[in-house]
Coordinates of all heavy atoms in Angstrom, one line a residue:
A142 N 108.4 82.9 119.4 CA 108.2 84.4 119.3 C 109.4 85.2 119.9 O 109.6 86.3 119.4 CB 106.9 84.8 120.0
K143 N 110.1 84.6 120.8 CA 111.3 85.3 121.4 C 112.4 85.5 120.4 O 113.2 86.4 120.5 CB 111.8 84.6 122.6 CG 110.8 84.7 123.8 CD 111.3 83.9 125.0 CE 110.3 84.0 126.1 NZ 110.8 83.5 127.4
C144 N 112.4 84.7 119.3 CA 113.4 84.8 118.2 C 113.0 85.9 117.3 O 113.9 86.3 116.4 CB 113.5 83.5 117.5 SG 114.0 82.1 118.5
I145 N 111.8 86.4 117.3 CA 111.3 87.4 116.4 C 111.6 88.8 117.0 O 111.0 89.2 118.0 CB 109.8 87.2 116.1 CG1 109.6 85.8 115.5 CG2 109.3 88.3 115.2 CD1 108.1 85.4 115.4
K146 N 112.5 89.5 116.3 CA 112.9 90.8 116.8 C 112.2 92.0 116.2 O 112.1 93.1 116.8 CB 114.4 91.0 116.6 CG 115.3 89.9 117.2 CD 115.0 89.7 118.6 CE 115.8 88.5 119.2 NZ 115.5 88.3 120.6
K147 N 111.6 91.8 115.0 CA 110.8 92.9 114.3 C 109.7 92.2 113.6 O 109.9 91.1 113.0 CB 111.7 93.6 113.3 CG 112.8 94.5 113.9 CD 113.5 95.2 112.7 CE 114.8 95.8 113.2 NZ 115.7 96.3 112.2
A148 N 108.5 92.8 113.6 CA 107.4 92.3 112.8 C 106.7 93.5 112.2 O 106.4 94.5 112.8 CB 106.4 91.6 113.8
E149 N 106.4 93.3 110.9 CA 105.7 94.4 110.1 C 104.6 93.8 109.3 O 104.9 92.9 108.5 CB 106.8 95.1 109.2 CG 106.2 96.1 108.3 CD 107.3 96.6 107.3 OE1 108.5 96.2 107.4 OE2 106.9 97.4 106.4
L150 N 103.4 94.3 109.4 CA 102.3 93.9 108.6 C 102.5 94.5 107.2 O 102.8 95.7 107.0 CB 101.0 94.5 109.1 CG 99.7 94.2 108.4 CD1 99.4 92.7 108.4 CD2 98.6 95.0 108.9
I151 N 102.5 93.7 106.1 CA 102.8 94.2 104.8 C 101.6 94.1 103.8 O 101.6 94.8 102.8 CB 104.1 93.6 104.1 CG1 104.0 92.1 104.0 CG2 105.3 94.1 104.9 CD1 105.2 91.5 103.2
A152 N 100.6 93.2 104.1 CA 99.5 93.0 103.2 C 98.4 92.1 103.8 O 98.7 91.4 104.8 CB 100.0 92.4 101.9
Y153 N 97.2 92.2 103.2 CA 96.1 91.4 103.6 C 95.7 91.5 105.1 O 95.3 90.6 105.7 CB 96.4 89.9 103.3 CG 96.9 89.6 101.9 CD1 97.8 88.6 101.7 CD2 96.6 90.4 100.8 CE1 98.3 88.3 100.4 CE2 97.1 90.1 99.5 CZ 98.0 89.1 99.4 OH 98.5 88.8 98.1
E154 N 95.6 92.8 105.5 CA 95.3 93.0 106.9 C 93.9 92.4 107.3 O 93.7 92.0 108.4 CB 95.3 94.5 107.2 CG 95.1 94.9 108.6 CD 95.2 96.4 108.9 OE1 95.4 97.2 108.0 OE2 95.1 96.8 110.1
D155 N 93.0 92.4 106.3 CA 91.7 91.8 106.5 C 91.7 90.4 107.0 O 90.7 89.8 107.5 CB 90.8 92.0 105.3 CG 91.3 91.3 104.1 OD1 92.5 91.5 103.7 OD2 90.6 90.4 103.5
L156 N 92.8 89.7 106.8 CA 92.9 88.3 107.1 C 93.3 88.1 108.6 O 93.4 86.9 109.1 CB 93.9 87.5 106.3 CG 93.6 87.5 104.8 CD1 94.7 86.7 104.0 CD2 92.3 86.8 104.5
G157 N 93.5 89.2 109.3 CA 93.8 89.1 110.8 C 95.1 88.4 111.0 O 96.1 88.7 110.5
A158 N 95.0 87.3 111.8 CA 96.3 86.5 112.1 C 96.9 86.0 110.9 O 98.1 85.8 110.9 CB 95.9 85.4 113.1
E159 N 96.2 85.8 109.8 CA 96.7 85.2 108.6 C 97.3 86.3 107.6 O 97.7 86.0 106.5 CB 95.7 84.3 107.9 CG 95.4 83.1 108.7 CD 94.7 82.0 107.9 OE1 95.0 81.8 106.7 OE2 93.8 81.4 108.4
A160 N 97.3 87.5 108.0 CA 97.8 88.6 107.2 C 99.3 88.3 106.9 O 100.0 87.6 107.6 CB 97.7 90.0 107.9
L161 N 99.8 88.9 105.8 CA 101.2 88.8 105.4 C 102.0 89.7 106.3 O 101.8 90.9 106.4 CB 101.3 89.1 104.0 CG 102.2 88.2 103.1 CD1 101.4 87.1 102.6 CD2 102.7 89.0 102.0
R162 N 103.1 89.1 106.9 CA 104.0 89.9 107.7 C 105.4 89.6 107.3 O 105.8 88.6 106.8 CB 103.8 89.5 109.2 CG 102.6 90.0 109.8 CD 102.4 89.5 111.3 NE 101.2 90.0 111.9 CZ 100.0 89.6 111.6 NH1 99.7 88.7 110.8 NH2 99.0 90.2 112.2
K163 N 106.2 90.7 107.5 CA 107.7 90.6 107.3 C 108.3 90.5 108.7 O 108.0 91.4 109.5 CB 108.2 91.8 106.5 CG 109.6 91.8 106.3 CD 110.0 93.1 105.5 CE 111.5 93.2 105.3 NZ 111.8 94.4 104.5
L164 N 109.0 89.5 109.0 CA 109.6 89.3 110.3 C 111.1 89.3 110.2 O 111.7 88.8 109.2 CB 109.2 88.0 110.9 CG 107.8 87.6 111.1 CD1 107.6 86.3 111.7 CD2 107.0 88.7 111.8
Y165 N 111.8 89.8 111.2 CA 113.2 89.7 111.3 C 113.5 88.8 112.5 O 113.0 89.0 113.6 CB 114.0 91.0 111.5 CG 115.5 90.8 111.6 CD1 116.2 90.6 110.4 CD2 116.1 90.7 112.8 CE1 117.6 90.4 110.5 CE2 117.5 90.5 112.9 CZ 118.2 90.3 111.7 OH 119.5 90.0 111.8
V166 N 114.1 87.6 112.2 CA 114.3 86.6 113.3 C 115.8 86.5 113.6 O 116.7 86.7 112.7 CB 113.8 85.3 112.9 CG1 112.3 85.3 112.7 CG2 114.4 84.7 111.7
E167 N 116.1 86.1 114.8 CA 117.5 85.9 115.2 C 117.6 84.5 115.9 O 116.8 84.2 116.8 CB 118.0 86.9 116.2 CG 118.3 88.3 115.5 CD 118.8 89.3 116.5 OE1 119.0 89.0 117.7 OE2 119.0 90.5 116.0
D168 N 118.4 83.6 115.3 CA 118.6 82.3 115.8 C 117.4 81.5 116.1 O 117.2 80.9 117.1 CB 119.5 82.4 117.1 CG 120.9 82.8 116.9 OD1 121.4 82.6 115.7 OD2 121.5 83.3 117.8
M169 N 116.5 81.5 115.1 CA 115.2 80.8 115.2 C 115.6 79.3 115.0 O 116.1 78.9 113.9 CB 114.3 81.2 114.1 CG 112.9 80.5 114.1 SD 111.9 81.2 112.8 CE 110.4 80.2 113.1

C-alpha cells in the first residue's frame, strides 16, 4: 500500500472492497 500514491474509485461501488479502482503506483 505504501507504493500506492493515488487511488480513485471508478466503478462498481456496490462491491465494496472489490469495486473497480484506478491506482497510481510508484516502484511497486
Side-chain angles (χ1 to χ4, degrees):
K143 292 180 180 188
C144 300
I145 300 169
K146 304 304 178 185
K147 294 179 190 171
E149 174 189 355
L150 178 70
I151 59 172
Y153 312 147
E154 185 173 5
D155 62 302
L156 297 179
E159 293 196 38
L161 221 87
R162 289 175 174 76
K163 178 180 178 180
L164 306 180
Y165 181 80
V166 298
E167 289 180 0
D168 292 336
M169 180 179 181

